[in-house]
Amino acid sequence: MAEFLMYFTNGLVIGVINAISAIGVSLIVGIMRVINFAHGELYIFAGYFSYHLSLTFGLSPILAMPLSVFFIFLIGILMERLLIRPTYGDEMYSLIITFVLSIVLQNSALLIFGPYPNKPPALISGSTQIFGLFHYGNQRLLSFGISIGILLFVFYLIKKTWFGKSVRAISQDREMASLMGIDHWRINMISFGLGAALAGSAGVIIAPIFPVTPTGSSAISLTAFVVVVLGGMGSLKGCVVGGLILGILENLGAAYVSTMYRHIFAFIILILVLVFRPWGLFGQKT
Amino acid sequence: MLEIKAIDVFRGEAQILWNLQMKVEKGEVVTVLGANGAGKTTLVESILGIHHPKKGEILFMDEEISQKPPYLITQMGISCVPEGRRIFKEMTVYENLEMGAYPAKARPLLKTTQDWVFSLFPILKERRNQIAGTLSGGEQQMLAIGRALMSRPMLLLLDELSLGLSPKITKGIYGTIRKLHQEGVTMLLIEQNATMALLHSQRGYILETGRIALQGSSQELLGNEHIRKAYLGM
Ligand SMILES: Nc1ncnc2c1ncn2[C@@H]1O[C@H](COP(=O)(O)OP(=O)(O)OP(=O)(O)O)[C@@H](O)[C@H]1O
Ligand SMILES: [Mg+2]
């Protein structure tokens, strides 16, 4: 029982991180109809940034984490300006560009950071007993807390602020949104930066638990895409529920079936959703 | 207030508007009549900056706007009730109105403008927390008008207000147009269904295959034999 609960808790922790990463993808798809294949690489880069900022440059991890996310935000903004903006209106081009970029970034990561897994220092050590049943690492509990905080922040941003409302308006009807006086070029750029920053946040949160490697990035993108499809295109709630379901299933599956199948589970879920409910759990049936 | 000077507008390869001239003065309600495909929507969208004329100028408050993007034109004070309403269906009624008040100039007035809109359309106040996509057609049209008013426009463009609405609801909506005119809102009414529009405007233009075929006071146009046959079904 205690063992099951521990795997389940692992699933929750990974689940909320999945959710953050998936919202990054979903936001960009929803507003610009662009699928960012380089999503996983941005996630990995953030992990390496926080590793090097704290270990090579001696910054406190509390500073290294947000600073890494900020760098990824800037990279996202640059990507949109230089590579994505010229492709608007042609989804095929943006697909090819982000795909090529993902390969370029993955190889750069290999060149710059080397092939070895790097684990930034933990923010906190020790463990806490949960309900008197099992001990759970404090770093993981903290990661869970930070992730929940980020999710609440994103929900607030999208539901309540002018920026969030413009994002939703553009996702529904881009032309009408511009007739409201919304400068959609600017909103696109910021949203792309935000999508990247969310990939980066997931990366810096997970890196102290599971070290990042350059070759891990494709699986990270895959997971994010599966969560978006499972939750339903354009649904924040869907990303959270989808992220949790995938996190829990993968962790229980890895514990009780085999770790070898971890990514197979994601793939099976993807197929099942596409066959039985292609619009996802919370998506709009069109 | 609005002056269109000999514009040629293309959509893709096809020329839709030909050397089109027209004017709207402050405080006026002006009608543009035209059959299906005459180019009425293209005209509205050219004023709004969705299409840019290849030739000619569009002056708004004496400033040339024809090459500006839509968001800047909206911020300058033109807003529209588009053909087919195009409200934000997944947002609430309240959020739709808020989106209308997006321009920086309109935001500080959001609360007062909203009270004004609610006084014009009390049903919107009742339904303010409802998802807009679940409103009836007439209510969606009211919401589209309300949303357009939220930016406190100097000029309001209305593309086929009566499309798909029952005569009774159309009458109600035109009642609101009359009120808005009395409050000094300048409007351009684009219609296929002519009687209502001509009865509520001072001047009118007839658009035929992208050219102005005829213009005059609404009274004159209402009495014109050709127009009675072609647009009023009499
Ligand atoms: N995307 C497009 N590309 C090319 N031509 C178009 C496009 N959309 C419309 N047209 C053409 O432009 C012409 C004018 O269309 P427009 O929609 O402006 O007419 P309208 O007067 O508003 O008609 P309706 O009464 O049907 O709304 C039509 O001949 C139409 O076929
Ligand atoms: Mg039309």
Side-chain angles (χ1 to χ4, degrees), chain A residues 24 80-81 131 138 142 146 235 254:
Chain A
E80 196 278 337
R81 272 319 297 260
F131 305 131
N138 285 336
L142 183 62
I146 295 175
S235 168

Side-chain angles (χ1 to χ4, degrees), chain B residues 40-41 83 159-160:
Chain B
K40 303 182 297 293
T41 299
E83 185 174 2
D159 194 354
E160 307 231 20

Side-chain angles (χ1 to χ4, degrees), chain B residues 11 34-45 83-84 159-160 163 190 192:
Chain B
R11 295 181 80 153
N36 272 320
K40 303 182 297 293
T41 299
T42 307
L43 169 62
V44 172
E45 292 180 348
E83 185 174 2
D159 194 354
E160 307 231 20
L163 195 72
I190 311 292
Q192 218 178 116

Side-chain angles (χ1 to χ4, degrees), chain B residues 9-17 39 41-43 45 50-51:
Chain B
V9 176
F10 289 72
R11 295 181 80 153
E13 295 293 300
Q15 181 163 2
I16 310 294
L17 300 181
T41 299
T42 307
L43 169 62
E45 292 180 348
I50 294 169
H51 309 299

